[in-house]
Amino acid sequence: MENKELKERFIDERTGIEYVRQGDYYIPNLVLPKQNKIHLNKYGRMRLNYLKEHKKSEYIIMFMENTLIDHLEEIQETATKRVDEIINKLKAQSNLTEDMKNTDMLYWVGTMNAIKQQAEEIILNELIYVWKFIDLMEKFWILWYSMN
């Protein structure tokens, strides 16, 4: 019987995965690619939670393909810009002026809070909690089959 020396490292030709010897076993040397770290704001966290709770398959696919961070970053940037645009439009439509801050502060604060809430509600429906038409049809057929 021949005594073969075990290699410390080798690459499987079929899969292309590198293995490292630890004791008597070969362990795959799997390394995640570098990911840029971002600080998620309110909208990024809301989208992440929505994907985790309601769109698990999309979440897993994006996570495995390493596109989740880019998706969340795009959503939060778009949402922030869109909220600012909507607030400015609604403020212009409501004839709210800076002089009202000094003359009728409670009215100004109340109106600005209402405008911000309207803008955020629009963003939540447009970007964060997106229901595709296919999802609605799928739910319809599930409900229809369960009733029959």
Side-chain angles (χ1 to χ4, degrees), residues 10-134:
F10 78 93
I11 297 176
D12 186 10
E13 295 169 4
R14 188 171 49 93
T15 61
I17 297 176
E18 179 184 24
Y19 289 86
V20 178
R21 191 179 80 170
Q22 292 187 357
D24 292 337
Y25 300 100
Y26 281 106
I27 308 294
N29 188 18
L30 302 176
V31 180
L32 289 173
K34 289 282 185 184
Q35 295 181 351
N36 51 340
K37 302 228 179 203
I38 63 167
H39 176 70
L40 292 178
N41 66 8
K42 173 182 176 179
Y43 305 112
R45 287 191 312 270
M46 290 171 84
R47 179 67 177 168
L48 178 62
N49 288 335
Y50 174 74
L51 289 172
K52 281 182 178 178
E53 293 176 11
H54 301 286
K55 301 287 187 180
K56 290 179 183 169
S57 59
E58 288 181 27
Y59 169 75
I60 291 170
I61 290 169
M62 283 192 278
F63 183 77
M64 297 300 286
E65 291 178 348
N66 203 19
T67 59
L68 181 64
I69 298 295
D70 296 333
H71 172 74
L72 295 175
E73 189 174 28
E74 179 184 350
I75 289 290
Q76 75 180 13
E77 286 174 10
T78 306
T80 304
K81 289 177 187 174
R82 187 87 172 99
V83 163
D84 292 339
E85 290 173 7
I86 293 172
I87 286 175
N88 290 335
K89 274 186 187 176
L90 292 175
K91 199 164 37 166
Q93 288 175 356
S94 69
N95 298 325
L96 208 58
T97 62
E98 293 297 317
D99 292 335
M100 295 176 109
K101 272 189 197 178
N102 298 329
T103 57
D104 196 0
M105 187 183 291
L106 287 178
Y107 174 76
W108 187 87
V109 169
T111 305
M112 283 303 293
N113 284 341
I115 287 172
K116 185 175 180 192
Q117 289 296 327
Q118 289 173 358
E120 287 189 347
E121 188 67 30
I122 291 169
I123 292 305
L124 293 180
N125 290 324
E126 283 182 358
L127 292 172
I128 308 300
Y129 305 128
V130 178
W131 285 94
K132 297 177 188 168
F133 179 72
I134 295 169

